[in-house]
Amino acid sequence: MSVLLQTGNFIVESLGAFVETSGFGAFFADGGWKFAVMIALACFLLYLAIKKQFEPLLLLPIAFGMLLTNLPGAEMFHSELFAGGHVHWDIFVDNAGLIDYLYLGVKLGIYPCLIFVGVGAMTDFGPLIANPKSFLLGAAAQLGIFATFLGAYALGFEPNECGSIGIIGGADGPTSIFLTARLAPELLGPIAIAAYSYMALVPVIQPPIMRALTTDAERKIKMSQLRQVSKTEKILFPVIIAVVISLLLPSAAPLVGCLMLGNLMKECGVVDRLSKTVQNELMNIVVIFLGISVGATATAGSFLNFKTLGILVLGILAFSCGTAGGVLLAKLMNLFAKEGKKINPLIGSAGVSAVPMAARVSQTVGQEYDKSNFLLMHAMGPNVAGVVGSAVAAGILLAFLG
Amino acid sequence: MDKFANVDWSEMLLMALIGFLLVFAVLVLLIFVMRAMGWFFTRDRKPKAAAATSSEPALDHAISDQELAAAIITALKLYKSNLHDQESEMITISRITRAYSPWNSKIHGLTQIPEKK
């Protein structure tokens, strides 16, 4: 009988020890509910990516990275290896796991730049070269960055965090990740999720602001056809922009340089294989690594706090101010423009990057008021100017706060 | 962060203002660069275009693009409406030969004699 009791106790103790060491046991430990909340949130983001198709290419790996990092006991990501904003190389090799190694690409600013090579190879700067005034709209839409920068400070964030939160207004994922990894790496998870979620919501956020700030007559303005751009101009453009911006603002050189390298590969026409590779294979591989490692930084400790809530609120403010800035500057430019040279203010909203979705929104809203009005190509000018503008803004913030 | 311990509202406002103006300044500079490039590459086209139009009789510049498009569309419509199909004018019954046609097939008829088993 005693042997049976002893065996029973042994089995119960062994099972208890097993449950305690397993991930399931951690859910019932102190603060274990946070893991459950984060896993539920990751599943919700997976739902948004798969079912609602909100930026699925990035949201899906981000959500899965978030899921993996919040599985108690799995210890996929070690934030202590990157504590204090720099890599602790002395303990890295002994303690690092797969995601820690992948995260080095974010921490060292490699992935955002590689993605920019692909973005450059997929972007046609023709409408911007044909109408350089579009640069002004791209600059005005960066109002969202600086307004949010101040908004974040009002909410009690540190200046470096304000810069990282403000860059959400650039509506440019790689730029947001590049700057945040350098200024406020502890906010990388919430900022990346806010940036990509709001980018997916551009067709919902922008139209009401565009309608509120424009009159019926302004929305029906038809713009004159853009001039043809020669191949030589398209080849010279990336070289000139890379040189001018890198000399003016060295901190923006990695982003702008990579963007223009990709564009040169596309436009020169002699390295088609490279151009196709950076547009497809390289971009896709980097997106997977970037998504998983950024998602992995969204641990329960760094995500479930009031800062995240503040970032989500400020993200909306950033997008809204950026949209309003572009539209209002287009209206201002019309005050000085001759008849026949007026700008449809709806294209101003495309100055926030979010290529090409923001340009499509301008086209869709324009066509609601005049079916024969085609704004897409005109909106692509401010749209790609916004990419350059947000990279410049990131460089400026990095120079100020880095 | 200790680095930002002494930062106050006035500095933040100044930083935001200077940052925003710098973005504008850099992109305005790019406008001038692009305009200069555009001028350089289109300067040859303009004299050629001017020479081509000067040898032709002067057009009424009051004609708008829409009127021009309407005129072209009308001319095309009139031209197409005057076109006729070219027909062979031979009216004959074409003989069609088919290897097999089931329309009067005995196999499918109702008068088949049932098989005896």
Side-chain angles (χ1 to χ4, degrees), chain A residues 296-366:
Chain A
T297 62
T299 54
S302 69
F303 202 90
L304 291 180
N305 50 46
F306 284 107
K307 278 188 174 180
T308 304
L309 200 63
I311 289 166
L312 292 175
V313 172
L314 288 164
I316 283 271
L317 174 78
F319 271 66
S320 306
C321 287
T323 305
V327 173
L328 289 175
L329 187 80
K331 283 168 74 96
L332 183 70
M333 285 164 76
N334 277 348
L335 293 179
F336 304 100
K338 291 176 198 161
E339 202 56 49
K341 292 272 181 188
K342 288 198 185 294
I343 299 167
N344 190 317
L346 294 178
I347 70 164
S349 64
V352 300
S353 310
V355 183
M357 202 185 282
R360 279 198 214 126
V361 170
S362 299
Q363 160 81 3
T364 311
V365 177

Side-chain angles (χ1 to χ4, degrees), chain A residues 259-279:
Chain A
L259 182 74
M260 294 303 152
L261 168 66
N263 190 248
L264 183 61
M265 283 179 183
K266 174 188 172 238
E267 299 298 350
C268 71
V270 294
V271 287
D272 273 351
R273 278 166 51 191
L274 298 187
S275 176
K276 279 177 189 158
T277 302
V278 294
Q279 285 180 47

Side-chain angles (χ1 to χ4, degrees), chain A residues 125-136 227-245 260 263 381 384-385 388, chain B residues 26-43:
Chain A
F125 283 101
L128 181 61
I129 301 169
N131 185 15
K133 271 191 292 184
S134 304
F135 270 122
L136 285 177
R227 76 170 173 88
Q228 281 210 324
V229 177
S230 67
K231 192 180 174 185
T232 319
E233 281 179 275
K234 284 189 172 181
I235 292 173
L236 282 176
F237 177 82
V239 179
I240 292 172
I241 298 288
V243 170
V244 172
I245 293 186
M260 294 303 152
N263 190 248
V384 293
V388 178
Chain B
V26 171
L27 295 191
V28 166
L29 179 73
L30 291 179
I31 292 177
F32 286 118
V33 173
M34 298 321 300
R35 286 229 157 162
M37 194 173 86
W39 171 82
F40 185 80
F41 282 98
T42 53
R43 79 202 149 115

Side-chain angles (χ1 to χ4, degrees), chain A residues 89-365:
Chain A
W89 294 108
D90 48 335
I91 53 168
F92 193 85
V93 179
D94 293 333
N95 300 295
L98 173 68
I99 292 180
D100 298 311
Y101 279 99
L102 292 181
Y103 182 67
L104 283 176
V106 177
K107 187 71 209 153
L108 303 175
I110 297 168
Y111 297 152
C113 293
L114 289 180
I115 288 192
F116 254 41
V117 178
V119 171
M122 288 195 281
T123 306
D124 179 13
F125 283 101
L128 181 61
I129 301 169
N131 185 15
K133 271 191 292 184
S134 304
F135 270 122
L136 285 177
L137 300 175
Q142 308 313 314
L143 175 70
I145 294 178
F146 295 97
T148 312
F149 175 73
L150 293 175
Y153 191 66
L155 286 187
F157 284 94
E158 292 288 333
N160 58 321
E161 295 173 334
C162 297
S164 295
I165 296 167
I167 202 70
I168 297 174
D172 197 336
T175 309
S176 303
I177 291 168
F178 179 81
L179 190 69
T180 307
R182 285 164 187 235
L183 291 185
E186 67 282 0
L187 298 182
L188 194 57
I191 285 177
I193 287 165
Y196 282 109
S197 305
Y198 290 139
M199 270 163 67
L201 289 173
V202 157
V204 179
I205 298 169
Q206 284 195 322
I209 300 165
M210 292 157 76
R211 288 189 197 107
L213 294 177
T214 50
T215 63
D216 207 43
E218 283 172 331
R219 287 175 220 134
K220 288 179 181 170
I221 291 176
K222 282 190 178 173
M223 295 175 67
S224 53
Q225 201 179 352
L226 295 170
R227 76 170 173 88
Q228 281 210 324
V229 177
S230 67
K231 192 180 174 185
T232 319
E233 281 179 275
K234 284 189 172 181
I235 292 173
L236 282 176
F237 177 82
V239 179
I240 292 172
I241 298 288
V243 170
V244 172
I245 293 186
S246 301
L247 288 178
L248 275 175
L249 211 61
S251 48
L255 285 176
V256 176
C258 287
L259 182 74
M260 294 303 152
L261 168 66
N263 190 248
L264 183 61
M265 283 179 183
K266 174 188 172 238
E267 299 298 350
C268 71
V270 294
V271 287
D272 273 351
R273 278 166 51 191
L274 298 187
S275 176
K276 279 177 189 158
T277 302
V278 294
Q279 285 180 47
N280 300 296
E281 292 84 357
L282 180 70
M283 182 101 156
N284 292 340
I285 291 167
V286 176
V287 161
I288 294 168
F289 291 170
L290 181 83
I292 291 177
S293 46
V294 164
T297 62
T299 54
S302 69
F303 202 90
L304 291 180
N305 50 46
F306 284 107
K307 278 188 174 180
T308 304
L309 200 63
I311 289 166
L312 292 175
V313 172
L314 288 164
I316 283 271
L317 174 78
F319 271 66
S320 306
C321 287
T323 305
V327 173
L328 289 175
L329 187 80
K331 283 168 74 96
L332 183 70
M333 285 164 76
N334 277 348
L335 293 179
F336 304 100
K338 291 176 198 161
E339 202 56 49
K341 292 272 181 188
K342 288 198 185 294
I343 299 167
N344 190 317
L346 294 178
I347 70 164
S349 64
V352 300
S353 310
V355 183
M357 202 185 282
R360 279 198 214 126
V361 170
S362 299
Q363 160 81 3
T364 311
V365 177

